[in-house]
Amino acid sequence: MQSFSKASSITRRCCRKNLQALTLCHRRLSSSLSQNQNVRNDDLDNQVLVEGKASSRMAILNRPSALNAINTSMGARLNKLYRSWEDDPEIGFVAMKGSGRAFCAGGDIVAVYNMMNQGMLEGCKEFFRTVYSFIYFLGTYLKPHVAILNGITMGGGAGVSIPSTFRIATGRTVFATPETLIGFHPDAGASFYLSHLPGHLGEYLALTGEKLNGAEMVACGLATHYTLSERLPLVEEQLGKLVTDDPSVIEACLQNYCDLVYPDQTSVLNRIGVVDKCFSLDSVEEIIDSIGKQFHILENEAARTNDAWCAATLRRLKESSPLSLKVSLKSIREGRVETFDRCLVREYRMTLHALSKQVSGDICEGVRARMVDRDLAPKWNPPSLEQVSKDMVDHYFSPLSESDPDLELPTKLREAFN
């Protein structure tokens, strides 16, 4: 009995020591996890930095190694920041710029690709829902907004800047909506703003994914102001000194420090006649089919003048996903008669249909070929325009399933514009 009591006492002491050691270990582990979580939170916060000025705030997209491509965390942080700034009476206006050589190269489509391959469709939906919601909030923002587009501005990067009150392009600005080249469609509000460009320039940009420079952006209305890149620090300095919520005061400041510029002779804007002639046609086949009766207008033009622009346009169209071309053309045409909010809701619907891969997996194949493996040899499905049926295209514009609600935007609280 005594031996048993002694043994029990030893056991209790060992248990207490083990429990104390376990508790200490747990505390250390909890502290470590907490510190790691704080580091992760800091890292996420650092992806969107904030500069405070006299009467303004500057959001800085800060993923330079990824050309400031927006992910879900960045979209959520932008939503939070912009809501708090709109409610703050001490803040008169808000601005946004990017770190490094890009304003924003778009949404982080490689992350979306990886999530799709891992079966994380809910994560994909959350990403698009978060970014589209921020774009609508920006498009209905109650304070003046200045977007400084000093560098690459593509896809979703255009989406988070074009709705701004003021859009400053520079000599380093490169704009494009290249989604058809990755088996997707211009989104993030693109079907609204592209469809409102002069003539049928929007169809041209949506289908070819061709680039515009800063001067061209100003000339067609995508940007409101232009400044030489070396003068941009001065423009930012002067904006930072303003104490105002009056758009006219900001406009006067920009007029004082921005530059007058015109597109050069090779610009597509000097070819708007042929662009309208070709890209106003009713179907993609009539625009690019080398056998179709209308296609020879562009082809003969290239042959007659040995025009590099026409040859490049033909090449880009033939490189794009046939299904994406037809879906994108229909999207731009519908966007021309829809409000901003309806365009975003429809684009969200189109995006979820693309993610489902019920009709085609072109988005995964396009991202793989251009951004992951980089072999530039996508195997489109269907492989030709002739094999893309009307039903396939219409599916992208059909209602979502009951398990997938439409994008909900606060239109009753924040009225969209036409």
Side-chain angles (χ1 to χ4, degrees):
M1 179 67 70
Q2 188 176 0
S3 298
F4 180 78
S5 298
K6 185 177 181 180
S8 297
S9 176
I10 293 173
T11 300
R12 284 194 297 272
R13 288 198 300 271
C14 288
C15 285
R16 281 197 297 270
K17 289 180 180 179
N18 288 340
L19 182 59
Q20 290 169 351
L22 185 61
T23 301
L24 180 61
C25 180
H26 180 266
R27 286 173 180 170
R28 288 174 177 171
L29 180 60
S30 297
S31 175
S32 175
L33 289 173
S34 177
Q35 290 173 2
N36 288 339
Q37 184 64 47
N38 288 336
V39 169
R40 284 196 295 271
N41 287 339
D42 288 343
D43 288 343
L44 294 178
D45 287 348
N46 287 336
Q47 291 179 359
V48 180
L49 302 176
V50 175
E51 282 186 2
K53 302 295 182 180
S55 177
S56 64
R57 293 294 181 272
M58 174 82 77
I60 306 172
L61 306 179
N62 189 42
R63 292 184 70 202
S65 62
L67 300 178
N68 300 323
I70 295 178
N71 55 32
T72 307
S73 299
M74 293 171 71
R77 179 159 164 76
L78 286 169
N79 266 304
K80 181 179 179 180
L81 288 172
Y82 273 64
R83 289 177 189 278
S84 67
W85 293 339
E86 187 178 75
D87 293 336
D88 189 339
E90 299 299 317
I91 297 175
F93 68 97
V94 176
M96 184 190 294
K97 67 178 182 178
S99 298
R101 66 189 184 96
F103 168 73
C104 174
D108 192 344
I109 197 66
V110 174
V112 172
Y113 168 86
N114 290 330
M115 285 191 288
M116 290 180 69
N117 285 340
Q118 296 167 17
M120 300 170 60
L121 285 182
E122 290 305 316
C124 297
K125 296 172 187 177
E126 181 187 5
F127 164 72
F128 286 104
R129 189 165 57 245
T130 301
V131 175
Y132 289 9
S133 295
F134 172 70
I135 291 170
Y136 182 76
F137 192 77
L138 179 62
T140 57
Y141 209 55
L142 300 181
K143 295 180 177 181
H145 188 262
V146 182
I148 301 174
L149 312 178
N150 187 35
I152 297 168
T153 304
M154 296 186 179
V160 298
S161 58
I162 300 301
S164 304
T165 321
F166 304 101
R167 305 173 296 280
I168 306 173
T170 76
R172 297 178 58 243
T173 304
V174 180
F175 167 90
T177 52
E179 286 84 356
T180 61
L181 293 165
I182 59 167
F184 198 46
H185 52 269
D187 69 324
S191 67
F192 181 83
Y193 65 78
L194 289 180
S195 65
H196 288 74
L197 294 180
H200 293 273
L201 180 63
E203 282 95 332
Y204 164 78
L205 295 173
L207 269 59
T208 66
E210 283 289 4
K211 302 178 183 68
L212 296 180
N213 60 32
E216 291 170 321
M217 288 188 71
V218 172
C220 73
L222 285 170
T224 59
H225 297 81
Y226 180 93
T227 184
L228 300 174
S229 299
E230 53 269 27
R231 283 168 57 86
L232 188 57
L234 175 62
V235 174
E236 290 188 34
E237 179 185 352
Q238 296 305 315
L239 285 173
K241 293 179 180 178
L242 295 179
V243 179
T244 186
D245 60 359
D246 187 344
S248 66
V249 174
I250 301 171
E251 168 70 22
C253 175
L254 294 176
Q255 289 290 0
N256 286 336
Y257 295 98
C258 284
D259 303 283
L260 190 63
V261 68
Y262 299 98
D264 61 37
Q265 291 183 343
T266 62
S267 170
V268 65
L269 299 181
N270 291 320
R271 304 172 184 274
I272 201 69
V274 69
V275 167
D276 284 351
K277 182 187 292 185
C278 298
F279 287 85
S280 63
L281 300 174
D282 291 337
S283 68
V284 177
E285 285 86 349
E286 289 177 303
I287 297 172
I288 67 171
D289 189 345
S290 62
I291 302 175
K293 293 182 178 179
Q294 295 295 331
F295 180 71
H296 74 278
I297 297 173
L298 194 56
E299 198 166 48
N300 285 349
E301 180 77 5
R304 185 170 64 251
T305 65
N306 194 25
D307 193 322
W309 175 82
C310 289
T313 299
L314 290 172
R315 183 176 65 253
R316 299 276 286 193
L317 291 169
K318 291 177 179 179
E319 289 175 354
S320 298
S321 157
L323 177 59
S324 291
L325 287 173
K326 289 196 173 187
V327 168
S328 299
L329 181 62
K330 182 178 174 66
S331 178
I332 300 300
R333 298 279 164 84
E334 292 204 0
R336 195 163 276 133
V337 295
E338 291 180 334
T339 58
F340 182 53
D341 63 306
R342 295 315 304 167
C343 284
L344 284 170
V345 169
R346 174 178 45 73
E347 288 171 2
Y348 180 74
R349 189 179 299 163
M350 294 165 62
T351 295
L352 261 58
H353 284 308
L355 296 177
S356 73
K357 298 192 284 189
Q358 290 183 8
V359 172
S360 172
D362 273 3
I363 182 174
C364 283
E365 178 61 10
V367 174
R368 180 205 65 75
R370 286 207 166 256
M371 305 180 74
V372 180
D373 296 338
R374 299 179 185 272
D375 57 29
L376 303 181
K379 295 178 175 58
W380 301 126
N381 178 34
S384 68
L385 287 167
E386 292 78 10
Q387 293 172 279
V388 178
S389 68
K390 183 178 181 299
D391 286 345
M392 290 178 178
V393 176
D394 289 344
H395 178 79
Y396 283 78
F397 298 82
S398 63
L400 297 172
S401 65
E402 292 183 1
S403 60
D404 283 320
D406 271 327
L407 179 67
E408 293 185 6
L409 299 173
T411 54
K412 292 182 179 179
L413 298 175
R414 312 178 69 91
E415 186 176 357
F417 46 85
N418 295 319

